[in-house]
Amino acid sequence: TPLGEVIHKLIFNDISSYLFSDQSMSEPLKGIGSKTELRIIDDYKDLITALVATIEKSKSEILLATKYLDITVVQSIIFALQRNITIKTITSEKVDFSGFVKLLGSFVRNLRPNALKFVVGGENNYRSGNLQLSFMIVDNEISVFEIPDDKFRLAFVSTDKEVVKSLYSLFWEIWNQSRKLHMKGDKS
């Protein structure tokens, strides 16, 4: 599977030397990042920080597939929309996105028109689907993804072209199988 390929590549090609080595030795870490960046994140707060920083650096496109809704990440996505970044999102069917939008209330009413279009024209930018893991691809150059589990345990940030390519393909595969969301105010 695409997910299996990504995890296999990461574990056997990029981080196996780190995971199976003496943690006090820095030699195995030298190979990680020589061709690409690979950062391991084991704290949810650090993951949110990494996501926000990556979103803030975006230049053209963000593809986000997520099992979570975090207000800090949503806010950084709204700022990216205001910078005219193309954003497509797939959220787990288990997440109540419309309830979350209601929570945003007055914040949503004060959005610039291009950001408001994202919320109102949700069918073109947002879908709901069956997600096994959360991941994000930014500018087709960097990916952030977690190891699937019931709760957050471990995530990776990678610039490896093959990892990004695999996740990019996986995103569009899930997108095409996901259902469109119709929200209030959506005239389509």
Side-chain angles (χ1 to χ4, degrees):
T1 66
L3 174 59
E5 289 173 12
V6 168
I7 292 174
H8 179 272
K9 180 178 182 353
L10 275 172
I11 291 174
F12 291 104
N13 295 348
D14 293 333
I15 64 170
S16 61
S17 60
Y18 172 73
L19 293 176
F20 301 113
S21 71
D22 179 353
Q23 297 290 327
S24 64
M25 298 178 65
S26 62
E27 191 62 33
L29 297 176
K30 290 182 182 173
I32 296 174
S34 59
K35 295 183 287 182
T36 62
E37 174 192 358
L38 177 67
R39 192 165 28 130
I40 301 168
I41 302 171
D42 62 0
D43 181 78
Y44 187 75
K45 289 179 187 176
D46 293 341
L47 173 62
I48 297 303
T49 301
L51 288 169
V52 169
T54 305
I55 291 167
E56 287 175 356
K57 294 176 187 174
S58 62
K59 299 176 210 127
S60 61
E61 179 183 62
I62 298 170
L63 304 177
L64 176 64
T66 184
K67 297 189 300 184
Y68 316 101
L69 280 175
D70 181 275
I71 190 72
T72 307
V73 174
V74 170
Q75 183 178 15
S76 63
I77 285 180
I78 289 170
F79 292 146
L81 283 165
Q82 292 173 338
R83 294 186 291 119
N84 292 317
I85 303 297
T86 299
I87 299 177
K88 302 285 186 190
T89 64
I90 307 167
T91 302
S92 172
E93 296 166 336
K94 297 174 184 174
V95 173
D96 179 15
F97 185 75
S98 58
F100 183 74
V101 169
K102 288 176 189 173
L103 277 178
L104 293 176
S106 63
F107 184 70
V108 171
R109 284 191 293 274
N110 294 326
L111 294 176
R112 290 185 182 172
N114 60 333
L116 190 55
K117 227 170 39 181
F118 175 79
V119 175
V120 175
E123 183 175 313
N124 299 320
N125 303 303
Y126 174 84
R127 292 196 178 189
S128 179
N130 182 15
L131 294 175
Q132 302 302 313
L133 78 154
S134 295
F135 62 97
M136 179 175 73
I137 302 116
V138 175
D139 299 330
N140 214 12
E141 295 175 357
I142 188 166
S143 60
V144 181
F145 61 97
E146 72 168 333
I147 298 297
D149 205 344
D150 291 338
K151 62 180 183 173
F152 176 79
R153 295 203 186 271
L154 193 64
F156 300 93
V157 177
S158 176
T159 59
D160 183 271
K161 290 180 185 348
E162 291 301 315
V163 171
V164 171
K165 182 180 172 184
S166 293
L167 288 173
Y168 185 87
S169 295
L170 179 60
F171 179 88
W172 290 111
E173 182 181 314
I174 297 169
W175 178 269
N176 290 329
Q177 296 172 2
S178 299
R179 67 179 172 83
K180 296 177 179 179
L181 177 73
H182 294 281
M183 298 177 70
K184 284 186 177 182
D186 190 354
K187 295 185 171 91
S188 51

